[in-house]
Amino acid sequence: MKLKSALLVSAAAVASPGMVFGLGIRIPDQDAFASSRGNAFVATADNPSAIYYNPAGISQLEDQNVRAGFYGIYLKDKYSGPTGSFDTKDKFQAVPQIYYSAHLKDTPLTLGLGVYSPYGLGLEWPDNTSFRTLATRGDLTYFSINPVLSWKVCDSFSIAAGPTINYGNVDLRRGFLPFPGNEFRFRGDDVTPGFTAGAMWKPIEELSFGASYRSQTTMGFHGTSSTAGGEPFVPSFTQPAGAEFKFPQNVVVGLSYRPTPDWNLEFDADWTDWNRLQTVNLQQQFSGTLPLVFNWASSWFYEFGATRYFGEGWRVSGGYIFSENSVPTATFSPAIPDSDRHVFSIGVGKTYSKFSWDASYQFAYGPTRTVTGSAPSFPFGQSADGKYEYISHALLVSLGYHF
């Protein structure tokens, strides 16, 4: 009887769209200099982080170059509704990246290798929220190893492509009863391939165009689902489980204008195909397969950046991003409290004969999003309806060496 109760509770714990994936979000910030420009970098791409932003850009680099850094972020979501107000728990998260490029002497070819995290981060709500049976916590780790080959077709045009080997690990949690002290949890991981490509055209000295593409991937997260904290009526129970999550394809196009050697202005349009994420099936060995509806929409980043170059290798940059919301109200979940967001950044850097560094600060906020009519959890009817606000502070540091 207790085993049957555990199976029924396990099924009920995932019977609403809020659980299967905690944070289906991109991390577009992969270099301090690029991020200081609002990530408007696809048509500039003049350091080894081009491997992420536009791999064709490494054709501009001579000899060998290495660049490493980290993206550290503090983020907070706030909820207010008829049953009270809640904030996500304070959490500082850091994501590393490293890039290497090598021009093959006396050839038009340049090799590159990047290791970075294009998706991820985490979010945790207090255990006593009025929507705990929708979501309490989600953590995603996603790393890509990305070798590329760039070919300088002529002095003004380069193309590049390369495979990605992607590792993902997910840990998702929610309550299965509407009061604190119980938890349903799904954990799984997977490895899957993909690819990237890019092109850069510089018809005149003052103008360059860039484009990059990142392929879609499908992570078949395999692991376990479990219930805990329901004793004595519902025993702890663990079973094999898996969920196939479709990560989007991504296209970026941009234009860089250099009115003088001292200035670089750029605008990029960055499209992410979140429309791939419609229904995810959580397959549990004993509790069966449950369809979970997301119905996300594709969305855009609009990125603006400017850099002023000074003497002795100094530079100062600023940028702005407008990020469109991807999550519709009908399938809104506190685990993915997406909204339209405004992102501002500023940074400084310096290049020496062999060594370079950049540091940037980024501030983002999401104006209040009011959610009404979201899907309730089954069978307890807890809803995500209410008002949500987002704010984050991020610091990026990158160090480079030319040899």
Side-chain angles (χ1 to χ4, degrees):
M1 185 64 181
K2 287 186 176 182
L3 176 59
K4 183 177 180 180
S5 297
L7 293 175
L8 291 173
V9 168
S10 178
V14 294
S16 65
M19 181 59 209
V20 167
F21 198 75
L23 288 172
I25 61 173
R26 282 182 57 200
I27 304 176
D29 305 284
Q30 299 293 335
D31 179 75
F33 176 55
S35 293
S36 69
R37 295 167 47 82
N39 290 316
F41 197 56
V42 72
T44 299
D46 58 358
N47 70 43
S49 71
I51 293 165
Y52 170 81
Y53 290 96
N54 180 0
I58 63 173
S59 285
Q60 303 175 93
L61 308 178
E62 297 296 330
D63 305 317
Q64 299 182 71
N65 298 269
V66 65
R67 189 168 175 90
F70 76 91
Y71 169 62
I73 183 171
Y74 165 84
L75 57 86
K76 181 177 286 292
D77 277 277
K78 299 182 178 182
Y79 166 83
S80 59
T83 58
S85 298
F86 307 96
D87 295 352
T88 53
K89 294 184 178 181
D90 291 342
K91 190 175 184 180
F92 180 82
Q93 302 167 74
V95 180
Q97 61 268 159
I98 185 168
Y99 310 97
Y100 168 78
S101 70
H103 174 69
L104 302 182
K105 190 175 181 180
D106 300 323
T107 78
L109 304 177
T110 303
L111 298 174
L113 178 65
V115 181
Y116 51 81
S117 181
Y119 306 97
L121 303 179
L123 187 71
E124 183 176 4
W125 292 97
D127 193 37
N128 63 340
T129 64
S130 58
F131 47 74
R132 69 179 313 274
T133 56
L134 287 169
T136 57
R137 177 174 173 174
D139 290 289
L140 169 67
T141 300
Y142 188 119
F143 277 101
S144 296
I145 301 174
N146 184 194
V148 298
L149 174 64
S150 182
W151 174 31
K152 192 171 187 178
V153 180
C154 62
D155 288 342
S156 61
F157 183 65
S158 299
I159 57 175
T164 60
I165 302 170
N166 310 287
Y167 168 77
N169 181 289
V170 69
D171 184 353
L172 310 172
R173 309 182 194 188
R174 61 178 287 178
F176 58 81
L177 296 173
F179 48 81
N182 55 84
E183 181 178 80
F184 174 84
R185 185 177 187 182
F186 169 66
R187 287 178 288 179
D189 61 4
D190 192 24
V191 176
T192 191
F195 71 92
T196 62
M200 179 172 285
W201 179 43
K202 192 173 184 180
I204 58 175
E205 189 65 28
E206 294 82 10
L207 202 63
S208 65
F209 299 88
S212 69
Y213 176 79
R214 182 173 305 277
S215 74
Q216 62 192 33
T217 57
T218 299
M219 283 282 181
F221 292 116
H222 296 290
T224 61
S225 65
S226 60
T227 57
E231 291 83 356
F233 304 105
V234 180
S236 298
F237 179 73
T238 300
Q239 61 184 313
E244 186 177 272
F245 187 90
K246 295 181 179 180
F247 287 83
Q249 61 182 332
N250 170 238
V251 179
V252 187
V253 294
L255 164 67
S256 169
Y257 175 56
R258 300 169 174 84
T260 75
D262 294 335
W263 283 96
N264 182 348
L265 312 174
E266 183 166 334
F267 168 72
D268 291 356
D270 183 328
W271 176 75
T272 304
D273 184 22
W274 282 118
N275 190 59
R276 290 195 77 220
L277 184 56
Q278 296 298 301
T279 299
V280 173
N281 292 312
L282 179 62
Q283 300 176 340
Q284 301 179 109
Q285 183 171 343
F286 303 112
S287 301
T289 300
L290 293 171
L292 305 169
V293 181
F294 285 80
N295 291 340
W296 282 19
S298 298
S299 59
W300 292 84
F301 292 163
Y302 300 102
E303 303 162 332
F304 303 85
T307 299
R308 173 68 163 92
Y309 296 92
F310 298 91
E312 300 182 350
W314 286 97
R315 56 188 166 269
V316 175
S317 302
Y320 167 75
I321 304 170
F322 176 72
S323 172
E324 288 185 335
N325 167 47
S326 298
V327 180
T329 297
T331 55
F332 184 92
S333 166
I336 318 158
D338 200 15
S339 62
D340 290 341
R341 292 176 185 176
H342 303 275
V343 185
F344 302 89
S345 57
I346 190 169
V348 62
K350 182 174 173 60
T351 297
Y352 304 85
S353 59
K354 296 288 186 181
F355 176 73
S356 64
W357 62 266
D358 286 275
S360 66
Y361 166 75
Q362 182 188 84
F363 169 75
Y365 80 97
T368 301
R369 179 178 181 182
T370 301
V371 176
T372 58
S374 62
S377 65
F378 175 83
F380 299 105
Q382 289 193 321
S383 170
D385 288 2
K387 295 182 178 180
Y388 294 81
E389 298 179 32
Y390 171 87
I391 191 170
S392 70
H393 303 271
L395 176 67
L396 294 96
V397 176
S398 296
L399 305 176
Y401 190 75
H402 171 85
F403 55 96

